[in-house]
Amino acid sequence: MHRNLSVLRLLFSSPAAGSLLSPHCYLPFLLRSLSSNPHPPPSAPRRRLPPSSVSPSLSPLLKEDAIATLSSLWISSFRNPSSTITSLSDHLTRPELWILSYQKVYADETGSYLPKSSISHTALDDLLALRNAVLDGRFRWGARLEFFIRSPRDKTDLSSLSKRKIRALLTNPQPCPFQDRIVQEVLLFVLEPVFEARFSQKSYAFRPGRTAHTVVRTIRRSFAGYLWYLKGDLSTILDGVKPGLVLSALIREVRDRKIVDLIKSALVTPVLTGNPAEDEAKKKKKKRKYQKKRVLAEDEPKPDPYWLQSFFGFAPAEADKYPNWGHCGVLSPLLANICLDELDKWMEGKIKEFYKPSKADVIWTGEEGDIEQGNTSWPEFVPTSGPDKTRKMDYIRFGGHILVGVRGPRADAAELRKQLIQFCDHRYQLKLDNESVPIEHITKGIMFLDHVLCRRVVYPTLRYTATGGKIISEKGVGTLLSVTASLKQCIKQFRKLEFLKGDRDPDPQPCFRMFHATQAHTNAQMNKFLSTMVEWYRYADNRKKVVNFCSYIIRGSLAKLYAAKYKLRSRAKVYKIGARNLQRPLKDKKGQSPEYNELMRMGLVDSIEGLQYTRMSLVPETDYTPFPSRWKPDHENFLLEFIKLEDRKTLDEQRKCIREEGLITPQEYVSMLVWNYKKNAVMLPPLGENDAKKAKEELLGLTHDSENRIGDDDVSGHMLQAAQM
């Protein structure tokens, strides 16, 4: 009987069994095998390597620096972004990466950070066993009964499970196992730097340093002057894609068999999903029983759900889709970008093909053949139509949504749409039509990330010098790209959250979910929500108007809630007692109880925080900070600058420039200080801005005696000798 159960568990944990047998097929056989013994025996012993090869000494594992290892991987990837990777699985043997992954997953699981010195020897032993299983090919995704390492919150004794619990464990959907998430994080650590160095600069979703705000700022800078816009929705790819397409895109850059096999196994291993109809039927049949209120543990994070739920209710449709393919978990967004990167590179080629400058309306600022040369300063003041005008286009992608701006006739936009549909059909087997990729005019207003792109006519004063040196001033006409927040979409989201009703004349509704909370807690929750709204609409032209509307809706909703809670009958009564920002306490003080200020001084009540942005003048202005044309995230700029400084030629050029300008570097000045102290036992005076020559003279002890004079060549030699000391 023990042998049958062990064989079954090993069989069900393998990917081959998951692909050949469904839970409904192997469940009767399992129950018949277990019918002779009501209590199943302990699970099969886990295969471990000898102790000498698993963990001879745990202390060296804690001394390795995972950040240094990952930094070297990022630097090497950005130094040679076009090279094919063949030995990436060597990083899977590094125990410091597995320890860092364990710390991250542990923090996600428990809500508290675990230092390396606090990791138990048992956890390290299990972590090394998981690493060896991955390297030996014994690891199986989605295992239900066989674990190499278990969650710190999982206290279940698998040896004492009943038949009913084993059946529920094998047939019902379960969260991603703890050990699966550790392997996913390690793969993400290894693969992300490789592909971040290769990804197109036109993609912004699921990438570090690139957010929706970056997209809005890029659109404001780069899409001015475009007349026609194409919007494409490819988000069905994020729901699921054939494993062959993912693996073919992965193999083009990574030729490591072990890494590819791990990801292939994660994609093809079936995942149990529940049936919504059956789940609803079970909920209806199940009788409601009294549920005892759960007490949170000391290390468990305290929930703060209301403002988080309210904020994520405002998430744009473009940012709502998050890929989750098979057992890939956090690795799925990276794989989605790997698949769609081919579309980005194809669109970059189309941008170069489409660009046809015209000397009639272009300000030439660059060299011949430079795509960025044409009228980079004021593209919005140049007419965007006509046969003799410049033809240009730009492209941006956020997740599965693309936006293409075309400057030229509509026929060019229609031809580009036709080619885009053919490319998606050929590469991704995605059937698109003209309705899924509409062509919209700028005057209609284009919605993207809950911001509306439209054209605003301006009449600037143009001053130029005519023949004879006469300065002429005249009124010109041009168009500016306006990026505004959609008030209609904002109303729609508030209605979804049950904050208001009605469209034309929205009326706030009381948020009864906060009925049992105190006034201080309720105001604090809503202030978090308002602060997030202010940051979300930071780059919208109508930031003041939209945030003031959000503040009005929330303030009215709270006023109605307090009127019902404290029986004040109307919002006007609430505002009269609690002030405009609802900061004063609304609860009546009966008898001889102390005043609110006295209670707050004694620490018996919470201080009530008034609502923010109750007036439009309190809302911050729109952020119009200039956005660089070739913008890159800070971490990429640091990496590229570090790689550039490692080049000997770059350092020689910088030193030559410093020498020509008559300046001195801090390193040389420190060397001069050390050398002077060793030679004369005298410290140099502070170095000024233009007295580098004087410092050299004082350093070398130049006097009026010609015998002790030292040439410039000897100066540099002494500096080098001092630096080496």
Side-chain angles (χ1 to χ4, degrees), residues 343-362:
L343 172 64
D344 301 336
K345 300 293 177 56
W346 181 79
M347 286 299 302
E348 287 181 351
K350 289 297 177 182
I351 291 174
K352 295 180 180 179
E353 293 177 8
F354 192 83
Y355 182 63
K356 292 183 179 179
S358 174
K359 295 183 179 180
D361 63 349
V362 170

Side-chain angles (χ1 to χ4, degrees), residues 33-50:
S33 302
L34 297 176
S35 59
S36 59
N37 190 354
H39 299 288
S43 58
R46 184 171 62 199
R47 177 189 172 191
R48 289 183 181 273
L49 296 179

Side-chain angles (χ1 to χ4, degrees), residues 329-392:
V330 295
L331 202 61
S332 300
L334 178 63
L335 296 177
N337 276 332
I338 292 174
C339 290
L340 293 173
D341 185 62
E342 187 173 352
L343 172 64
D344 301 336
K345 300 293 177 56
W346 181 79
M347 286 299 302
E348 287 181 351
K350 289 297 177 182
I351 291 174
K352 295 180 180 179
E353 293 177 8
F354 192 83
Y355 182 63
K356 292 183 179 179
S358 174
K359 295 183 179 180
D361 63 349
V362 170
I363 302 174
W364 300 98
T365 58
E367 300 178 357
E368 290 293 333
D370 187 4
I371 194 172
E372 295 291 340
Q373 63 182 344
N375 199 16
T376 56
S377 298
W378 298 99
E380 59 270 16
F381 290 111
V382 180
T384 56
S385 61
D388 58 340
K389 304 301 179 183
T390 298
R391 296 171 64 234
K392 194 177 179 182

Side-chain angles (χ1 to χ4, degrees), residues 617-637:
S617 59
L618 301 176
V619 181
E621 296 284 348
T622 304
D623 189 353
Y624 289 108
T625 306
F627 198 58
S629 59
R630 299 180 183 273
W631 176 88
K632 289 183 180 179
D634 292 339
H635 68 278
E636 291 188 10
N637 289 327

Side-chain angles (χ1 to χ4, degrees), residues 16-28:
S19 59
L20 298 176
L21 299 176
S22 64
H24 301 287
C25 296
Y26 60 71
L27 184 59

Side-chain angles (χ1 to χ4, degrees), residues 425-470:
D425 186 14
H426 177 263
R427 182 64 187 89
Y428 303 113
Q429 286 84 46
L430 185 62
K431 302 296 182 181
L432 299 176
D433 53 10
N434 293 342
E435 294 183 359
S436 58
V437 189
I439 300 177
E440 301 179 359
H441 197 271
I442 184 63
T443 55
K444 300 293 184 182
I446 291 89
M447 177 85 70
F448 198 75
L449 286 174
D450 283 355
H451 287 70
V452 180
L453 315 180
C454 55
R455 188 168 62 178
R456 181 162 55 93
V457 180
V458 295
Y459 302 93
T461 301
L462 304 178
R463 292 182 176 87
Y464 57 93
T465 304
T467 55
K470 184 180 180 181

Side-chain angles (χ1 to χ4, degrees), residues 444-703:
K444 300 293 184 182
I446 291 89
M447 177 85 70
F448 198 75
L449 286 174
D450 283 355
H451 287 70
V452 180
L453 315 180
C454 55
R455 188 168 62 178
R456 181 162 55 93
V457 180
V458 295
Y459 302 93
T461 301
L462 304 178
R463 292 182 176 87
Y464 57 93
T465 304
T467 55
K470 184 180 180 181
I471 298 177
I472 299 177
S473 299
E474 61 180 15
K475 285 288 184 181
V477 61
T479 58
L480 288 175
L481 181 66
S482 179
V483 181
T484 60
S486 174
L487 188 61
K488 182 178 179 181
Q489 188 72 11
C490 189
I491 293 174
K492 180 181 178 182
Q493 301 288 13
F494 267 125
R495 196 186 320 114
K496 186 190 303 183
L497 295 172
E498 298 179 356
F499 272 99
L500 57 81
K501 58 181 178 180
D503 292 333
R504 295 185 178 180
D505 189 12
D507 184 27
Q509 293 189 106
C511 48
F512 283 115
R513 283 178 290 179
M514 301 294 294
F515 188 83
H516 297 287
T518 61
Q519 184 180 353
H521 180 67
T522 304
N523 286 8
Q525 293 271 308
M526 294 307 164
N527 276 334
K528 291 179 183 179
F529 180 44
L530 283 173
S531 300
T532 313
M533 289 291 101
V534 169
E535 183 62 26
W536 169 237
Y537 293 118
R538 179 176 183 176
Y539 300 100
D541 291 339
N542 59 343
R543 182 188 189 185
K544 280 181 168 289
K545 180 180 178 181
V546 172
V547 174
N548 185 65
F549 172 77
C550 295
S551 176
Y552 160 72
I553 294 298
I554 291 176
R555 188 162 49 91
S557 178
L558 289 185
K560 284 191 173 182
L561 171 68
Y562 295 151
K565 184 176 181 179
Y566 301 118
K567 301 179 181 179
L568 297 176
R569 296 187 180 181
S570 65
R571 284 185 286 179
K573 185 78 171 180
V574 172
Y575 292 140
K576 183 178 180 180
I577 300 175
R580 182 184 179 88
N581 60 355
L582 303 175
Q583 187 176 7
R584 298 175 186 167
L586 293 168
K587 191 172 182 180
D588 295 331
K589 305 295 188 299
K590 298 181 180 180
Q592 300 297 325
S593 60
E595 295 292 337
Y596 170 75
N597 294 333
E598 186 68 17
L599 292 173
M600 187 171 61
R601 187 184 64 82
M602 293 187 294
L604 299 178
V605 295
D606 297 331
S607 60
I608 300 176
E609 181 183 0
L611 287 181
Q612 299 175 341
Y613 314 116
T614 54
R615 299 185 184 276
M616 187 177 291
S617 59
L618 301 176
V619 181
E621 296 284 348
T622 304
D623 189 353
Y624 289 108
T625 306
F627 198 58
S629 59
R630 299 180 183 273
W631 176 88
K632 289 183 180 179
D634 292 339
H635 68 278
E636 291 188 10
N637 289 327
F638 294 152
L639 284 171
L640 296 176
E641 187 68 21
F642 180 81
I643 293 170
K644 187 185 299 183
L645 291 176
E646 282 187 332
D647 187 7
R648 181 71 181 180
K649 183 179 179 181
T650 304
L651 290 178
D652 292 341
E653 292 177 355
Q654 290 182 352
R655 289 173 179 171
K656 182 180 178 181
C657 180
I658 290 174
R659 202 174 298 115
E660 291 176 353
E661 295 291 335
L663 303 176
I664 183 171
T665 62
Q667 293 85 351
E668 290 176 345
Y669 182 61
V670 172
S671 301
M672 291 161 56
L673 288 175
V674 174
W675 175 250
N676 184 70
Y677 185 76
K678 287 185 175 181
K679 181 179 179 182
N680 303 325
V682 177
M683 295 298 294
L684 284 177
L687 184 64
E689 295 181 357
N690 298 320
D691 54 356
K693 185 176 180 180
K694 181 180 178 182
K696 291 181 181 179
E697 294 176 356
E698 293 183 357
L699 167 68
L700 299 173
L702 293 178
T703 61

Side-chain angles (χ1 to χ4, degrees), residues 207-219:
R207 297 183 61 186
R210 290 173 168 85
T211 61
H213 278 168
T214 312
V215 177
V216 174
R217 299 184 72 186
T218 304
I219 290 174

